């Protein structure tokens, strides 16, 4: 059974302390919304599974119980994107019939290959980064305001880290840590503008973020579905950790 977590209930945060990508996502979401009143954003299952809602994206992890209950839950809550480990949502995905994207999760727990910092290495503002993310991932103009509010809040409060490469006055490559907890840091939104690819910028940024996470005692993780990106991460020293499924209703953008 899926049960809502009340605002301020520290039990959810304690359960989300696991050093893995989903613990990092749940913890980051709780840091933003865990003390706010209003409609529920966090739930637990009788089997100790966790669910957190950010915008129209529901992230789940752990044993979730009845797949039909989760499918009905997505419909009731207006979920457009359901993401989680394959083993947690595979049966629910079959019931929903939504488009599925399969992504690989890699862990950087061991020693990683260092990359020298590129010229133009910087800590850009979210304003500078969003045009690049829009170019690479097809983000919509309407997505900017909620994305900016969340990312700028995390940066101001030390809950995230953002790196970039500046060339000709423009951020041409970026990567960031947008989700983390005490034991894990998820590196995401890794992107380089087409004319600047193949120069090692993304690898250098990912390594710098992974090194910073390791120095804080956290395991760095990356998620990818691009074979070229997968090769880069493997060259840095990341190793396979698991498989993630993202289920999209009505071809919603990732």
């Amino acid at each position: 059974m899926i049960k809502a977590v009340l605002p301020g209930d520290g039990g959810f945060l304690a359960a989300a302390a696991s050093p893995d990508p989903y613990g990092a996502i749940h913890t980051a979401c709780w840091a933003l919304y865990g003390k706010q009143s209003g409609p529920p954003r966090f739930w637990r299952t009788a089997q100790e599974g966790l669910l957190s809602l950010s915008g129209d994206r529901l992230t789940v992890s752990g044993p979730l119980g009845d797949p039909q209950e989760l499918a009905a839950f997505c419909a009731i809550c207006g979920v457009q994107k359901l993401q989680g480990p394959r083993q947690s949502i595979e049966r629910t995905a079959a019931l929903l019939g939504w488009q599925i994207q399969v992504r690989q999760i890699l862990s950087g727990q061991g020693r990683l290959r260092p990359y020298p910092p590129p010229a133009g290495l910087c800590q850009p503002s979210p304003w500078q980064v969003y045009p690049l993310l829009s170019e690479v991932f097809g983000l919509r103009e309407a997505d900017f305001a909620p994305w900016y509010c969340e990312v700028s809040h995390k940066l101001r409060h030390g809950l995230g880290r953002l790196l970039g490469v500046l060339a000709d006055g423009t951020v041409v490559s970026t990567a960031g840590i947008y989700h983390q907890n005490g034991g894990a840091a998820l590196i995401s939104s890794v992107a380089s503008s087409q004319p600047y690819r193949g120069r090692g910028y993304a690898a250098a940024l990912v390594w710098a973020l992974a090194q910073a996470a390791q120095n804080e005692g956290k395991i760095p993780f990356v998620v990818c579905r691009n074979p070229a990106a997968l090769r880069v991460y493997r060259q840095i020293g990341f190793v396979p950790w698991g498989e993630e499924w993202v289920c999209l209703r009505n071809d919603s953008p990732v």
Side-chain angles (χ1 to χ4, degrees):
M1 179 179 293
I2 298 173
K3 295 183 177 181
V5 175
L6 298 176
D9 182 350
F12 183 92
L13 189 60
S18 56
D20 60 55
Y22 298 104
I25 292 172
H26 292 313
T27 299
C29 192
W30 185 266
L32 291 173
Y33 306 114
K35 296 182 180 180
Q36 294 184 7
S37 59
R41 290 179 178 267
F42 305 92
W43 299 265
R44 298 178 71 175
T45 69
Q47 298 81 16
E48 299 304 317
L50 300 179
L51 304 87
S52 58
L53 183 66
S54 178
D56 61 5
R57 180 187 295 265
L58 182 68
T59 300
V60 303
S61 63
L64 301 174
D66 183 359
Q68 291 183 332
E69 181 186 18
L70 179 57
F73 182 85
C74 289
I76 293 170
C77 295
V79 172
Q80 298 294 317
K81 310 175 191 73
L82 172 66
Q83 74 174 39
R86 175 176 181 170
Q87 62 270 26
S88 294
I89 66 172
E90 185 170 13
R91 292 191 296 162
T92 298
L95 293 171
L96 290 172
W98 296 356
Q99 174 191 348
I100 297 173
Q101 289 190 358
V102 179
R103 308 197 290 191
Q104 302 300 316
I105 304 174
L106 296 95
S107 164
Q109 188 168 7
R111 182 175 176 83
L112 302 177
R113 173 189 172 186
Y115 281 74
L121 180 66
C122 64
Q123 294 183 354
S125 71
W127 285 97
Q128 293 173 292
V129 164
Y130 195 80
L132 174 59
L133 298 182
S134 181
E135 170 196 333
V136 174
F137 300 118
L139 302 183
R140 302 166 300 184
E141 184 177 347
D143 297 325
F144 173 72
W147 177 89
Y148 177 81
C149 290
E150 178 175 324
V151 173
S152 60
H153 174 88
K154 289 179 178 179
L155 296 177
R156 287 197 309 272
H157 294 278
L159 303 174
R161 193 187 304 265
L162 187 58
L163 292 180
V165 176
L166 196 64
D168 300 322
T170 302
V171 173
V172 298
S173 186
T174 186
I177 294 175
Y178 296 94
H179 305 93
Q180 60 183 330
N181 62 11
L186 181 57
I187 301 170
S188 57
S189 295
V190 182
S192 295
S193 183
Q194 182 67 46
Y196 293 89
R197 294 177 186 174
R199 305 187 186 191
Y201 290 165
L205 297 179
V206 169
W207 178 81
L209 291 169
Q211 187 66 28
Q214 288 186 338
N215 290 342
E216 295 173 352
K218 301 173 183 178
I219 302 171
F221 291 89
V222 291
V223 180
C224 74
R225 61 186 180 96
N226 182 319
L230 181 61
R231 288 193 295 271
V232 170
Y233 298 146
R234 295 296 295 268
Q235 289 172 358
I236 296 171
F238 284 85
V239 297
W241 184 84
E243 186 175 274
E244 176 178 74
W245 278 24
V246 181
C247 304
L248 306 172
R249 183 203 296 256
N250 300 326
D251 296 326
S252 302
V254 177

